[in-house]
């Protein structure tokens, strides 16, 4: 087997959303190869892990690299995690519960692995290589189907004792408001997440107020995703634009509390909605923040869309794996 010091490739893996993505990086973090596959729900942990291993192998094959050349793996995924043990505690969309992902990756590939929250990984990726590079404190909010959050302070991800922190999507914004997927009422995600936006847009289409959206996507929430919303706005559906702008403004209003607590110099915006409507979300969130934060904080931060797009989480996960390996080597020397 090749000596560990001679290994030069890193793999980042993103398990969030409807697709899995594996990317191979060289030692300078240039992308060498990438493979993507659709996520299958409710296949169970065994099938899901097999698909992850197969996709990593496919990416390595595309890079012309063997398993023995792999220095480390970083995997970003949603859901509650035990970060220290690398265990996915629960991922309902895949039917997972207490799955020892890190142990399986390390057993299969004989290299170190880390398992991190996908939004934490995305914020870290942008801090290392993207729009938040050089920030002292960056707070990220990633609105999509849900609303994820993460923060990096002086190069360290802000986290809890065992799991990730900054569940911005579950900050309460309306007392006794709409029911959220977490089981509570009035969470930001239930008010301004993509599902809430899509539901309001579907009603606008049904009432005849959004003809472009109705023709392109109907009223099925499965079809009213961020790209469909962006296209409807571009086609002149003012009702859809108002709905999206109000949601973005609400996100900025809720984020003001986070800015007041952490005093970041960068507020980073990512996720599917921002990727498809960056100017709209950046403008609305920035305006809401400036109006709502403490006056002394109003000019102390910038609001920027992510530069890495869909690659933010996978890049950050690989970079976190590299960092973990380097820290372990330094501690052992």
């Amino acid at each position: 087997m090749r000596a560990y010091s001679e290994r030069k490739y890193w793999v980042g893996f993103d398990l969030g959303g409807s697709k899995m993505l594996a990317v191979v990086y060289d030692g300078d973090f240039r992308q060498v190869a990438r493979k993507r596959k659709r996520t299958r729900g409710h296949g169970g942990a065994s099938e899901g892990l097999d698909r992850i291993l197969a996709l990593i192998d496919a990416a390595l094959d595309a890079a012309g690299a063997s398993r023995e050349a792999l220095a480390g793996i970083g995997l970003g995924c949603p859901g509650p995690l035990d970060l220290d043990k690398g265990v996915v505690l629960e991922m309902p969309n895949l039917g997972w519960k207490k799955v020892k992902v890190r142990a399986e990756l390390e057993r299969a590939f004989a290299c170190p692995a880390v398992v991190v929250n996908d939004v934490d990984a995305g914020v870290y990726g942008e801090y290392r290589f993207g729009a938040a590079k050089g920030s002292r404190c960056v707070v990220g909010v990633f609105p999509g189907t849900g609303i994820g959050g993460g923060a990096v302070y002086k190069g360290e991800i802000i986290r809890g004792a065992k799991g990730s922190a900054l569940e911005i999507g579950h900050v309460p914004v309306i007392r006794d408001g709409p029911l959220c997927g977490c089981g509570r009422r009035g969470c930001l995600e239930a008010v301004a997440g993509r599902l809430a936006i899509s539901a309001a847009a579907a009603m606008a289409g049904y009432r005849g107020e959004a003809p472009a959206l109705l023709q392109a996507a109907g009223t099925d929430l499965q079809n009213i995703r961020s790209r469909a919303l962006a296209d409807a706005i571009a086609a002149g559906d003012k009702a859809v634009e108002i709905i999206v702008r109000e949601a973005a403004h609400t996100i900025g209003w809720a984020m003001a509390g986070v800015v007041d607590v952490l005093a970041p110099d960068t507020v980073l915006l990512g996720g599917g909605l921002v990727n498809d409507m960056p100017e709209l979300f950046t403008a609305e969130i920035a305006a809401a923040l400036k109006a709502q934060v403490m006056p002394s904080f109003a000019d102390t931060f910038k609001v920027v869309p992510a530069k890495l797009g869909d690659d933010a989480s996978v890049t950050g996960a690989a970079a976190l794996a590299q960092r973990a390996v380097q820290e372990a080597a330094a501690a052992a020397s």
Side-chain angles (χ1 to χ4, degrees), residues 131-133 135 264-268 289-290 299-304:
K133 190 172 182 179
S135 299
D265 45 316
T266 302
V267 175
L268 174 74
L289 279 169
K290 300 265 182 182
D299 297 317
T300 62
F301 60 90
K302 60 182 179 180
V303 180
V304 295

Side-chain angles (χ1 to χ4, degrees), residues 268-295:
L268 174 74
L269 309 180
L273 287 166
V274 174
N275 289 345
D276 285 324
M277 292 170 277
E279 293 86 3
L280 185 157
F281 272 86
T282 301
E284 288 293 338
I285 290 175
L289 279 169
K290 300 265 182 182
Q292 187 65 27
V293 297
M294 288 178 57

Side-chain angles (χ1 to χ4, degrees), residues 206-317:
Y206 185 81
R207 291 192 299 261
E209 299 167 356
L213 180 69
L214 185 64
Q215 181 177 3
T219 58
D220 188 340
L221 300 191
Q222 290 256 22
N223 299 327
I224 307 176
R225 299 183 177 272
S226 57
R227 184 70 260 163
L229 294 165
D231 289 344
I233 292 172
D237 280 352
K238 297 304 284 186
V240 176
E241 181 176 353
I242 290 169
I243 290 165
V244 175
R245 286 190 180 278
E246 287 180 348
H249 195 86
T250 300
I251 292 170
W253 181 80
M255 282 292 295
V258 180
V259 170
D260 285 343
V261 170
L262 295 178
D265 45 316
T266 302
V267 175
L268 174 74
L269 309 180
L273 287 166
V274 174
N275 289 345
D276 285 324
M277 292 170 277
E279 293 86 3
L280 185 157
F281 272 86
T282 301
E284 288 293 338
I285 290 175
L289 279 169
K290 300 265 182 182
Q292 187 65 27
V293 297
M294 288 178 57
S296 59
F297 286 167
D299 297 317
T300 62
F301 60 90
K302 60 182 179 180
V303 180
V304 295
K307 284 184 179 178
L308 303 180
D310 290 340
D311 284 355
S313 292
V314 72
T315 304

Side-chain angles (χ1 to χ4, degrees), residues 36-216:
R36 188 186 296 266
K37 183 179 290 187
R38 192 159 194 84
T39 302
R40 285 183 190 163
H42 300 288
S46 179
E47 179 185 333
L49 286 168
D50 286 345
R51 287 170 60 80
I52 289 171
L53 302 184
L55 195 61
I56 293 174
D57 275 329
L60 288 172
D61 287 344
S66 65
R67 285 188 173 190
E68 288 75 19
L70 189 53
I73 301 169
L75 185 142
C77 61
L81 311 171
D82 185 324
L83 297 173
D84 294 332
K85 294 181 180 178
V87 174
V88 176
L89 299 177
E90 188 173 10
M91 199 183 301
N93 63 315
L94 295 183
W96 287 16
K97 203 173 185 70
K98 294 184 179 179
V99 180
K100 299 177 180 178
V101 178
R102 188 182 74 188
E104 288 298 318
L105 290 173
E106 292 181 340
R107 177 195 60 77
F109 294 98
C111 70
V114 298
V115 176
V116 296
N117 175 268
D118 57 341
V119 177
D120 283 344
V123 176
Y124 187 77
E126 292 286 342
Y127 164 77
R128 282 282 304 272
F129 306 106
K133 190 172 182 179
S135 299
R136 175 183 175 87
C137 179
V138 50
V139 172
V141 57
F142 283 49
T145 302
I147 300 179
V152 173
Y153 175 72
K154 295 176 68 173
E156 298 285 344
I157 293 174
I158 295 177
R159 50 161 285 185
K162 289 187 176 293
S164 59
L166 269 86
E167 288 287 357
I168 290 169
H170 300 289
V171 171
V173 293
I174 298 179
R175 186 185 181 111
D176 298 324
L179 184 65
C180 181
C182 72
R184 306 300 187 193
R185 288 189 174 274
C187 296
L188 178 62
E189 186 173 296
V191 174
R194 202 266 300 167
L195 287 176
I197 294 171
S198 297
M203 285 190 285
Y206 185 81
R207 291 192 299 261
E209 299 167 356
L213 180 69
L214 185 64
Q215 181 177 3

